Amino acid sequence: MKLHQIVAAALLGMMLNGASHAEWQRSTELYVSGGNTKSPVAVFVNSYTPAGFQAGTWYDVDLKPYGVSADAKGAFLSGLLIITHGQSSQTCDMTVVTRAPGNQLDAGNYQGQVVEAHLGGGQRSGFSSWVPLVNGVFQFRWDRNTYLQWPQECAYGINLSLQAWSR
């Protein structure tokens, strides 16, 4: 076997192993907003005020009030992860993770991250993900590595809009 054939066989094996563990569901309908892409806001966090979800806890996020059907299988979220660095010399790190209710995905297996190391600096990182739904609900958690208030330490923000959903 040539090297490219060995590599292709190894990649195929990895893909098949990964796919065998997935719980894929078929969606036959896709719904998108007829208005704008900024609303509705499904997840909002501002650690400075403080508004929205607190760090370190799993939350159920119900999308049915936004018109998502109870039999929906997934929703697409998109927006920003935000850090505003304070006056302390430190590296500020925020992660976000989503999962279906009842799933045991560990928060260490996050899907989004933003890091800021410069005094007085700030980061805006785009984030988007399809999230699995059960009865129109998904679970959301965010974590951070600093906990004092801005301007001494970092302020964290998350602003994720519901872009689409499927069933």
Side-chain angles (χ1 to χ4, degrees):
M1 263 169 100
K2 296 184 179 181
L3 180 59
H4 73 278
Q5 292 171 316
I6 294 170
V7 170
L11 287 173
L12 179 61
M14 288 188 302
M15 289 187 319
L16 291 176
N17 277 339
S20 67
H21 299 291
E23 298 175 17
W24 296 104
Q25 297 184 38
R26 181 180 181 151
S27 292
T28 57
E29 300 175 16
L30 180 64
Y31 297 85
V32 296
S33 172
N36 67 67
T37 59
K38 186 61 184 163
S39 64
V41 174
V43 175
F44 182 81
V45 170
N46 181 334
S47 70
Y48 178 65
T49 55
F53 305 115
Q54 301 303 304
T57 302
W58 284 101
Y59 291 94
D60 287 344
V61 181
D62 188 354
L63 298 179
K64 291 187 298 293
Y66 304 119
V68 174
S69 174
D71 64 348
K73 296 182 179 169
F76 184 67
L77 305 177
S78 182
L80 292 174
L81 308 179
I82 304 162
I83 295 179
T84 302
H85 201 294
Q87 300 164 345
S88 297
S89 180
Q90 60 192 176
T91 299
C92 302
D93 185 3
M94 175 175 58
T95 58
V96 299
V97 61
T98 63
R99 66 184 185 189
N103 189 278
Q104 298 303 308
L105 179 67
D106 184 86
N109 293 318
Y110 51 85
Q111 293 110 359
Q113 180 179 30
V114 62
V115 176
E116 174 54 70
H118 299 95
L119 288 175
Q123 291 293 323
R124 306 299 183 263
S125 178
F127 174 79
S128 60
S129 180
W130 275 98
V131 297
L133 301 176
V134 175
N135 191 29
V137 175
F138 71 95
Q139 291 187 321
F140 172 82
R141 176 179 170 149
W142 73 283
D143 289 284
R144 61 196 254 182
N145 71 330
T146 66
Y147 288 91
L148 296 179
Q149 279 291 69
W150 189 88
Q152 183 178 358
E153 289 191 354
C154 291
Y156 300 87
I158 302 169
N159 193 338
L160 301 178
S161 300
L162 174 62
Q163 300 286 308
W165 62 275
S166 69
R167 68 172 171 194

PDB file of all heavy atoms in Angstrom, residues 1 11 16 72 78 115 141 156 159:
ATOM      1  N   MET A   1       0.837  -1.182   0.000  1.00  0.00           N
ATOM      2  CA  MET A   1       0.000   0.000   0.000  1.00  0.00           C
ATOM      3  C   MET A   1       0.882   1.246   0.000  1.00  0.00           C
ATOM      4  O   MET A   1       1.891   1.298   0.677  1.00  0.00           O
ATOM      5  CB  MET A   1      -0.880   0.026   1.249  1.00  0.00           C
ATOM      6  CG  MET A   1      -2.258  -0.510   0.981  1.00  0.00           C
ATOM      7  SD  MET A   1      -3.166  -0.775   2.457  1.00  0.00           S
ATOM      8  CE  MET A   1      -4.198   0.322   2.851  1.00  0.00           C
ATOM      9  N   LEU A  11      -8.041   7.505   7.967  1.00  0.00           N
ATOM     10  CA  LEU A  11      -9.061   8.549   8.103  1.00  0.00           C
ATOM     11  C   LEU A  11     -10.466   7.964   8.004  1.00  0.00           C
ATOM     12  O   LEU A  11     -11.350   8.327   8.780  1.00  0.00           O
ATOM     13  CB  LEU A  11      -8.865   9.637   7.057  1.00  0.00           C
ATOM     14  CG  LEU A  11      -7.684  10.568   7.280  1.00  0.00           C
ATOM     15  CD1 LEU A  11      -7.507  11.491   6.078  1.00  0.00           C
ATOM     16  CD2 LEU A  11      -7.855  11.360   8.542  1.00  0.00           C
ATOM     17  N   LEU A  16     -15.564   6.393  10.519  1.00  0.00           N
ATOM     18  CA  LEU A  16     -16.565   5.365  10.768  1.00  0.00           C
ATOM     19  C   LEU A  16     -16.723   5.095  12.254  1.00  0.00           C
ATOM     20  O   LEU A  16     -17.827   4.901  12.746  1.00  0.00           O
ATOM     21  CB  LEU A  16     -16.211   4.083  10.013  1.00  0.00           C
ATOM     22  CG  LEU A  16     -16.337   4.168   8.495  1.00  0.00           C
ATOM     23  CD1 LEU A  16     -15.873   2.869   7.852  1.00  0.00           C
ATOM     24  CD2 LEU A  16     -17.765   4.497   8.083  1.00  0.00           C
ATOM     25  N   ALA A  72     -39.350  19.908  17.479  1.00  0.00           N
ATOM     26  CA  ALA A  72     -38.133  20.311  16.768  1.00  0.00           C
ATOM     27  C   ALA A  72     -36.967  19.426  17.198  1.00  0.00           C
ATOM     28  O   ALA A  72     -36.885  19.018  18.359  1.00  0.00           O
ATOM     29  CB  ALA A  72     -37.810  21.776  17.038  1.00  0.00           C
ATOM     30  N   SER A  78     -26.236  31.560  16.633  1.00  0.00           N
ATOM     31  CA  SER A  78     -25.067  32.266  16.134  1.00  0.00           C
ATOM     32  C   SER A  78     -24.955  33.607  16.832  1.00  0.00           C
ATOM     33  O   SER A  78     -25.962  34.229  17.156  1.00  0.00           O
ATOM     34  CB  SER A  78     -25.189  32.472  14.622  1.00  0.00           C
ATOM     35  OG  SER A  78     -24.036  33.109  14.122  1.00  0.00           O
ATOM     36  N   VAL A 115     -10.321  33.928  24.517  1.00  0.00           N
ATOM     37  CA  VAL A 115      -9.261  34.198  25.486  1.00  0.00           C
ATOM     38  C   VAL A 115      -8.752  35.614  25.264  1.00  0.00           C
ATOM     39  O   VAL A 115      -8.603  36.055  24.122  1.00  0.00           O
ATOM     40  CB  VAL A 115      -8.093  33.187  25.327  1.00  0.00           C
ATOM     41  CG1 VAL A 115      -6.949  33.507  26.266  1.00  0.00           C
ATOM     42  CG2 VAL A 115      -8.588  31.761  25.541  1.00  0.00           C
ATOM     43  N   ARG A 141     -24.196  25.928  29.073  1.00  0.00           N
ATOM     44  CA  ARG A 141     -23.324  26.253  30.209  1.00  0.00           C
ATOM     45  C   ARG A 141     -22.146  27.064  29.691  1.00  0.00           C
ATOM     46  O   ARG A 141     -21.647  26.838  28.593  1.00  0.00           O
ATOM     47  CB  ARG A 141     -22.822  24.974  30.863  1.00  0.00           C
ATOM     48  CG  ARG A 141     -21.825  25.226  31.985  1.00  0.00           C
ATOM     49  CD  ARG A 141     -21.372  23.950  32.611  1.00  0.00           C
ATOM     50  NE  ARG A 141     -20.255  24.201  33.502  1.00  0.00           N
ATOM     51  CZ  ARG A 141     -20.010  23.502  34.568  1.00  0.00           C
ATOM     52  NH1 ARG A 141     -20.788  22.483  34.896  1.00  0.00           N
ATOM     53  NH2 ARG A 141     -18.970  23.778  35.324  1.00  0.00           N
ATOM     54  N   TYR A 156     -17.345  39.334  31.016  1.00  0.00           N
ATOM     55  CA  TYR A 156     -17.660  38.331  29.993  1.00  0.00           C
ATOM     56  C   TYR A 156     -19.055  38.572  29.448  1.00  0.00           C
ATOM     57  O   TYR A 156     -19.966  38.948  30.186  1.00  0.00           O
ATOM     58  CB  TYR A 156     -17.587  36.922  30.593  1.00  0.00           C
ATOM     59  CG  TYR A 156     -16.226  36.592  31.150  1.00  0.00           C
ATOM     60  CD1 TYR A 156     -15.876  36.928  32.454  1.00  0.00           C
ATOM     61  CD2 TYR A 156     -15.280  35.945  30.367  1.00  0.00           C
ATOM     62  CE1 TYR A 156     -14.629  36.627  32.967  1.00  0.00           C
ATOM     63  CE2 TYR A 156     -14.027  35.648  30.867  1.00  0.00           C
ATOM     64  CZ  TYR A 156     -13.707  35.984  32.175  1.00  0.00           C
ATOM     65  OH  TYR A 156     -12.462  35.696  32.673  1.00  0.00           O
ATOM     66  N   ASN A 159     -23.826  36.599  23.434  1.00  0.00           N
ATOM     67  CA  ASN A 159     -25.029  37.067  22.764  1.00  0.00           C
ATOM     68  C   ASN A 159     -25.280  36.150  21.563  1.00  0.00           C
ATOM     69  O   ASN A 159     -24.661  36.304  20.519  1.00  0.00           O
ATOM     70  CB  ASN A 159     -24.855  38.520  22.323  1.00  0.00           C
ATOM     71  CG  ASN A 159     -26.148  39.161  21.913  1.00  0.00           C
ATOM     72  OD1 ASN A 159     -27.103  38.489  21.556  1.00  0.00           O
ATOM     73  ND2 ASN A 159     -26.176  40.473  21.942  1.00  0.00           N
TER      74      ASN A 159
END
